[in-house]
Amino acid sequence: MGAISTDILSRVWNDYMGELSKLPNIGKVLESQLNKIGIKTAKDLEECGSHEAWLAIKENDPSACYNRLCGIEGAIQGIRWHDLSDTDKKSLKDFYSLHK
C-alpha cells in the first residue's frame, strides 16, 4: 500500500476540524468550549464578541485566563493574539482585571 498524499491528508484534516478551529488561536479545546456556549461558527463568535464569549466560558471553566481572552479576540480579528494592537491588549487586560 502506498503512502497517503499530503493533499489527501490535508483534505481529511480540514474536514475533521470544526469551523472555529480553522481560525487563528482556536484549538480543539477552545473550540469545544465555544461550542458548549452555543458558538458554532466564526459569524457566531463575531456577533457574540470576545468579552461575552470569554465570560460565558469562564462560567464553566474558572481557569479561563487573559491569554484565552486575547486568543478569542485575535480569532475574531483573524490574527494571532500576539499581533493584537497595544490598544486592544490594554483594553482586554482592563476587562480581564475587572472580571477575573
Side-chain angles (χ1 to χ4, degrees):
M1 193 169 201
I4 299 174
S5 77
T6 304
D7 183 51
I8 291 172
L9 285 175
S10 178
R11 280 187 277 142
V12 169
W13 177 250
N14 285 337
D15 289 344
Y16 172 76
M17 291 174 63
E19 179 180 338
L20 291 172
S21 61
K22 294 176 185 174
L23 297 172
N25 315 309
I26 308 291
K28 283 302 198 183
V29 171
L30 182 50
E31 180 180 40
S32 176
Q33 290 177 323
L34 290 166
N35 288 169
K36 284 180 184 173
I37 61 168
I39 297 173
K40 310 283 186 190
T41 67
K43 184 177 181 193
D44 293 343
L45 182 57
E46 185 176 0
E47 289 173 355
C48 181
S50 59
H51 293 176
E52 292 304 317
W54 183 82
L55 286 172
I57 288 171
K58 189 174 183 320
E59 286 182 25
N60 297 316
D61 180 1
S63 75
C65 61
Y66 169 70
N67 291 344
R68 194 168 320 173
L69 174 60
C70 289
I72 294 168
E73 179 60 32
I76 291 169
Q77 293 186 29
I79 59 175
R80 293 205 47 207
W81 73 266
H82 300 91
D83 297 328
L84 290 168
S85 72
D86 290 340
T87 302
D88 285 342
K89 287 179 183 176
K90 178 169 183 352
S91 174
L92 292 167
K93 187 64 143 180
D94 291 345
F95 175 82
Y96 174 78
S97 294
L98 288 172
H99 298 284
K100 64 180 180 180

